[in-house]
Each structure stands twice: as structure tokens, then as C-alpha cells.
Amino acid sequence: MATALIAQLTDPHIVANARLCLNQIDTASFLREAVETLRRMPVAPDAVILTGDLVNDGRVNQYEHLRVLLAPLPMRVLLMPGNHDDRTALREVFPEHDELGRGDTCDFVVDVGAVRVIGLDTLVEGEAGGDLSIRQLEWLEHTLSRAPRRPTLLAIHHPPFATGIGHMDALGLSASASTELERIVAAHPQVERVTCGHLHRTISRRWAGTVVATTPSVAHAVALDLRNDAPSAWNYEPPAVTLHHWNGTALVTHQLATGDFPSRRYG
Ligand SMILES: [Fe+2]
Ligand SMILES: [Fe+2]
């Protein structure tokens, strides 16, 4: 039976070597722990996807640092930009990454075992919120219609739904893109899951006939505060990697905390 295991790392926010993100957060150490967590897994993932905010300020030296930190991963690594990224600098430092393409946006379709992974690039340069062009939406519709029976994981940095964390929803995917995306996904039931970054924490809902979820950052978390006027805040909740496992009949998603912690056997 065809299976696949896809690891997702999101929002590492890497800065230059020996620097701290926001002058406070050692994001490089967090990413090292996430990479080691994947390397210690009893079953190695077939591929790893990073769903945006790869670096904090879109600079070449930050991507060079990211490249060093990802080097220990032996499997294929797929990169996607988020609102903190810069496509030109990203492509310059990762020239062999075909999934980044050469067009206006870095959208891709890659088969990992039995699973089709589609990455949609929502970056709008100079803005924190995200958007999708008509051309991208038409490409998605065409791509999905070509393989209606292949289980599909759709990855996108900005979630297409309101999370209830107001200061982040203000930086969300545009309403028009969210509505069109919902229409397209609802018409293609092979989309097993839509997986997102940007929120730095786990949030899920039913949407367009499938499951949509944001995933924890491998570094800092956005504080959970559902008051309408909640301030923008982050904290050190335990970071995690996300594992999407196609078992032959369903895509089952796990979250695995990173770092060292005691483990014991039952019995
Ligand atoms: Fe982020
Ligand atoms: Fe983001």
C-alpha cells in the first residue's frame, strides 16, 4: 500500500548568524532542535515542507544562515515564502530548489509518494497580509482538475479563515482570495487537508468540505488571546513540527514537540 510521510516546519524566522530575532529570540537554536527531532524519528519523513516566514527580514545573509541550518536534512526540502520573505533573495540562495520557480510567485506541485503537495505563495511584497492572483487561482483549479483522485495536501502561509486572534486576522489572506480558494477547494474533494503557517500555533476548522489548520512555529508562539482588542504578543509555548502521514486511505496529521524530554516505555 502506498504511503507517505511529509514533515512540515513553519515560521522559523531565521536571522543572521549570531543574531537574535527581535533582539530576543534564538530562532537558529529552535530550528536546530526541529531538524534534530526529524532526524531522530524512527521512520524518516519522505520530504519536508517549510510553509513560510523562513527568515525574519528577507535578507540574503539570513537565507545563507537558513541554508546551513537545513543542511543536515537528508530528504527533499520544499521551501515556500511567507510575508517576512523576499522571493529574489530566497531564489538567489537556493538556486537548485526547482519548486521556487522563476515566475512572479513561488507556487509548486510536487508528488511525494502517493500524495500530491501543492504550495501556494501568498506573499505580497511590502505587506503583512496575503493574497492570491487570478492567475494563481486558475493555476490551482487547473492543477487540481488534472488529478482528481490523487490525495492532495495544499500548503499556504496565510490561513483562509478568521482565527479569532484579531491582530493576526488583520494580517490575513484577503477576503476575495479566501472566497475563491474556498470555492475551488470545495469542488475538489481530493484535497485531504489545507495546512497553513503564519499563526505560530495550532488552530483548525471545517472548511470547504475538508480540514484546514494552522500549525505551530518551530520557534516562538503567538499568544492565544481571543479578546477583540487583544495586544500583539508572543511567548515560549513548546514549539513543534507537524507530520502528515498518508496511510493508504487517509491523511492523518500529528504534532511532535521539539527538543529533549524524557521518554519511557509502558510495561
Ligand atoms: Fe511568522
Ligand atoms: Fe507570517
Side-chain angles (χ1 to χ4, degrees), residues 11 13 53 84 157 198 200:
D11 294 77
H13 287 262
D53 290 356
H84 284 256
H157 182 70
H198 194 49
H200 290 230

Side-chain angles (χ1 to χ4, degrees), residues 6-158:
I6 300 157
Q8 180 183 359
L9 311 183
T10 202
D11 294 77
H13 287 262
I14 294 302
V15 291
N17 192 20
R19 296 288 180 85
L20 299 176
C21 182
L22 306 174
N23 294 318
Q24 299 171 79
I25 311 165
D26 183 2
T27 49
S29 290
F30 277 123
L31 182 55
R32 268 189 216 99
E33 293 213 318
V35 166
E36 277 312 300
T37 296
L38 295 186
R39 284 170 57 84
R40 285 198 304 262
M41 287 185 64
V43 176
D46 299 302
V48 179
I49 182 168
L50 280 86
T51 42
D53 290 356
L54 307 174
V55 302
N56 201 56
D57 308 291
R59 295 192 188 129
V60 165
N61 64 345
Q62 298 177 338
Y63 288 113
E64 288 170 341
H65 192 200
L66 174 69
R67 190 176 174 98
V68 170
L69 293 164
L70 294 177
L73 290 173
M75 66 290 284
R76 182 166 189 187
V77 175
L78 300 166
L79 300 174
M80 288 175 56
N83 51 295
H84 284 256
D85 289 298
D86 180 280
R87 296 185 187 97
T88 303
L90 173 59
R91 285 168 168 153
E92 180 180 330
V93 178
F94 292 91
E96 77 282 21
H97 277 248
D98 297 337
E99 79 277 10
L100 295 173
R102 293 188 177 85
D104 294 342
T105 54
C106 303
D107 311 300
F108 66 80
V109 53
V110 170
D111 289 332
V112 179
V115 176
R116 174 152 290 190
V117 182
I118 297 177
L120 272 184
D121 171 359
T122 52
L123 165 62
V124 179
E125 294 197 2
E127 292 186 24
D131 205 357
L132 294 166
S133 67
I134 292 171
R135 178 189 56 76
Q136 287 177 284
L137 290 161
E138 287 176 348
W139 174 82
L140 175 67
E141 195 160 24
H142 177 69
T143 301
L144 288 170
S145 64
R146 276 190 353 228
R149 280 177 290 282
R150 188 178 290 264
T152 299
L153 175 65
L154 179 58
I156 182 168
H157 182 70
H158 293 82

Side-chain angles (χ1 to χ4, degrees), residues 237-254:
E237 286 176 56
V241 297
T242 300
L243 282 308
H244 304 283
H245 182 216
W246 176 254
N247 61 16
T249 58
L251 191 70
V252 180
T253 296
H254 305 256

